[in-house]
Amino acid sequence: MATKRSVGTLKEGDLKGKRVFVRVDLNVPLDDNLNITDDTRVRAAVPTIKYLTGYGAKVILSSHLGRPKGVTPKYSLKPLVPRLSQLLGIEVKIANDCIGEEVEKLVAGLPEGGVLLLENVRFYKEEEKNDPEFAKKLASLADVYVNDAFGTAHRAHASTEGVAKYLKPAVAGFLMQKELDYLVGAVSNPKRPFAAIVGGSKVSSKIGVIESLLEKVNVLLLGGGMIFTFYKAQGLSVGSSLVEEDKLDLATSLLEKAKAKGVSLLLPTDVVIADKFAADANSKTVSASSIPDGWMGLDIGPDSIKTFSEALDATQTVIWNGPMGVFEFEKFAAGTEAIAKKLAELSGKGVTTIIGGGDSVAAVEKAGLADKMSHISTGGGASLELLEGKPLPGVLALNDA
Ligand SMILES: Nc1ncnc2c1ncn2[C@@H]1O[C@H](COP(=O)(O)OP(=O)(O)O)[C@@H](O)[C@H]1O
Ligand SMILES: O=C(OP(=O)(O)O)[C@H](O)COP(=O)(O)O
């Protein structure tokens, strides 16, 4: 079963004076001093919270942070409070727990339009076990459930799935709805021509996405470490580039499948190679068919950038998942940066551009182009699963529209 796209959404009549349990994904990176180093997910959670408080709801926010085993101070959600308060323009209260008497008292004291952030829900092992008794305890705090935690929607946990069974209505927040509109809606019913760009390190982690996209796209551009498995499958020498020997047959069958479906699948024709996997490696650009022994491909080359850009010029919808090269090293970031720039340019011409989570989002942000794209997903794993056509438990649990 594919994930449904049409889920119930917020209605103002449900809200005044109601206690609303809102699952958000505040799993943000923190530095050693517990400063937030990327607040994208905090900002993305704001529209739903503002809407709820604006209609007089009492908002109970729940999230996880990291993967703690039991109560772990460095995974406390307390460092999130100042930024959340600043973005919402009100003083957000924080609880020391996510269930129990103290939390109940804080909820009882919440004014209409007030916001209480519960402590990390993963401090209880029952969260990840989706324990029904734990889900009931969370549900007992509220009247209504809103899931806006797209980044965690692929997890069937108590706060993302279990709790929805005990609260009515159980609906999607605006971020969740937007993610589904783009990653399911725009992808299943795209303006054509529709192109996908898939990169990243290994073909094995992207098989599901490539197979699923081959059913939908007109053009498929491949980059990143996975291309060397395709080259090797075609009999080319790949030097010491990343290759998955057990995926050579699969690479051949994906190429055949693309052909049979009439999908224009393009592999890079030139690559930037390095004499070691390091930022200060010696590098040069060679044709894809002339990678010398002892050298490894770490980026797509200028001819490939040109060919890919021209192929993208003719499209109306583009989805991108996975960098074109080892963009963390400046010498091998050009391919990824060029694709980011191309998509930003296309967005300006009305093309729908969707960045499907993970490292491609980091690359777009690094290039300062995030606000140019039609949609940047806040979920890595969740967006991959959606693009593979898998149902997301956090979405399935919600009421139908
Ligand atoms: N040619 C390459 N050789 C080795 N690693 C690569 C190559 N191209 C890209 N990568 C690496 O792939 C990683 C991202 O892969 P992946 O996790 O599959 O992507 P995403 O997070 O976008 O889903 C990046 O760390 C990048 O350095
Ligand atoms: O950061 C997240 O996932 P992501 O890194 O795949 O985007 C989510 O908050 C889910 O976290 P989890 O993978 O610990 O369940």
Side-chain angles (χ1 to χ4, degrees):
M1 188 185 1
T3 274
K4 56 187 178 187
R5 177 190 159 203
S6 205
V7 281
T9 44
L10 297 162
K11 293 186 187 64
E12 58 185 80
D14 299 332
L15 301 176
K16 188 158 172 58
K18 290 274 174 66
R19 299 166 304 163
V20 185
F21 187 100
V22 189
R23 179 52 158 104
V24 283
D25 188 336
L26 300 181
N27 185 27
V28 295
L30 299 175
D31 66 17
D32 291 343
N33 298 318
L34 302 179
N35 295 309
I36 302 168
T37 55
D38 177 0
D39 70 352
T40 307
R41 282 179 169 168
V42 191
R43 286 186 283 109
V46 163
T48 293
I49 304 169
K50 276 200 169 161
Y51 179 89
L52 292 168
T53 54
Y55 281 106
K58 302 172 178 183
V59 175
I60 304 160
L61 293 180
S62 170
S63 178
H64 73 286
L65 178 70
R67 294 176 176 175
K69 301 271 169 272
V71 179
T72 319
K74 78 165 179 173
Y75 292 120
S76 169
L77 283 167
K78 288 195 178 75
L80 274 291
V81 172
R83 186 73 182 121
L84 251 183
S85 300
Q86 189 186 32
L87 288 166
L88 293 170
I90 55 167
E91 190 195 332
V92 172
K93 298 253 181 287
I94 173 106
N96 286 318
D97 206 333
C98 63
I99 52 168
E101 255 177 54
E102 189 208 312
V103 177
E104 284 160 22
K105 277 191 195 137
L106 287 168
V107 171
L110 259 186
E112 289 183 5
V115 178
L116 173 69
L117 174 62
L118 303 181
E119 187 49 286
N120 193 338
V121 76
R122 286 193 188 169
F123 284 174
Y124 287 84
K125 62 179 182 328
E126 290 85 350
E127 160 69 358
E128 289 176 72
K129 291 195 168 129
N130 200 0
D131 178 272
E133 292 310 313
F134 181 68
K136 273 186 210 164
K137 284 181 193 160
L138 293 174
S140 73
L141 297 171
D143 308 298
V144 175
Y145 178 64
V146 175
N147 192 352
D148 215 17
F150 175 75
T152 323
H154 56 319
R155 309 290 183 213
H157 293 171
S159 68
T160 61
E161 203 268 349
V163 70
K165 297 189 182 84
Y166 308 108
L167 289 172
K168 289 280 168 290
V171 298
F174 297 129
L175 172 63
M176 181 73 88
Q177 190 61 59
K178 181 169 183 255
E179 296 270 13
L180 297 175
D181 283 348
Y182 278 98
L183 293 167
V184 183
V187 168
S188 58
N189 191 16
K191 291 182 287 171
R192 291 187 182 275
F194 176 23
I197 312 164
V198 182
S201 53
K202 293 179 180 171
V203 65
S204 53
S205 62
K206 302 286 164 83
I207 297 167
V209 171
I210 294 174
E211 286 191 326
S212 171
L213 288 172
L214 274 178
E215 303 292 331
K216 301 183 178 103
V217 299
N218 306 100
V219 179
L220 178 62
L221 309 179
L222 296 183
M226 72 172 72
I227 57 174
F228 304 101
T229 301
F230 286 87
Y231 289 164
K232 184 144 192 198
Q234 291 174 313
L236 300 179
S237 308
V238 295
S240 46
S241 305
L242 191 67
V243 168
E244 290 173 277
E245 295 288 346
D246 61 336
K247 296 288 177 292
L248 296 175
D249 290 345
L250 173 93
T252 305
S253 79
L254 286 174
L255 294 173
E256 282 165 3
K257 199 167 174 185
K259 208 170 182 186
K261 297 222 164 275
V263 174
S264 165
L265 188 155
L266 301 185
L267 284 164
T269 48
D270 60 343
V271 283
V272 183
I273 56 172
D275 59 355
K276 59 179 175 180
F277 188 88
D280 64 349
N282 292 308
S283 66
K284 54 185 174 181
T285 301
V286 297
S287 140
S289 57
S290 359
I291 303 174
D293 285 349
W295 289 71
M296 64 187 80
L298 294 187
D299 197 10
I300 62 173
D303 288 348
S304 309
I305 291 174
K306 192 161 174 281
T307 315
F308 281 17
S309 297
E310 282 166 8
L312 291 170
D313 272 331
T315 60
Q316 286 300 315
T317 305
V318 185
I319 181 147
W320 180 21
N321 181 289
M324 296 291 96
V326 183
F327 73 104
E328 298 92 334
F329 300 157
E330 215 38 67
K331 269 190 172 173
F332 309 103
T336 303
E337 280 169 11
I339 293 295
K341 282 198 188 116
K342 187 73 207 176
L343 295 201
E345 177 201 317
L346 292 173
S347 288
K349 293 179 180 164
V351 175
T352 302
T353 52
I354 305 167
I355 317 297
D359 273 334
S360 359
V361 173
V364 167
E365 269 160 10
K366 197 172 155 216
L369 298 169
D371 60 345
K372 300 273 189 292
M373 307 300 171
S374 310
H375 181 66
I376 294 210
S377 180
T378 55
S383 65
L384 262 189
E385 292 201 16
L386 255 197
L387 292 176
E388 286 172 27
K390 289 186 186 159
L392 301 184
V395 177
L396 282 185
L398 300 176
N399 304 151
D400 290 336

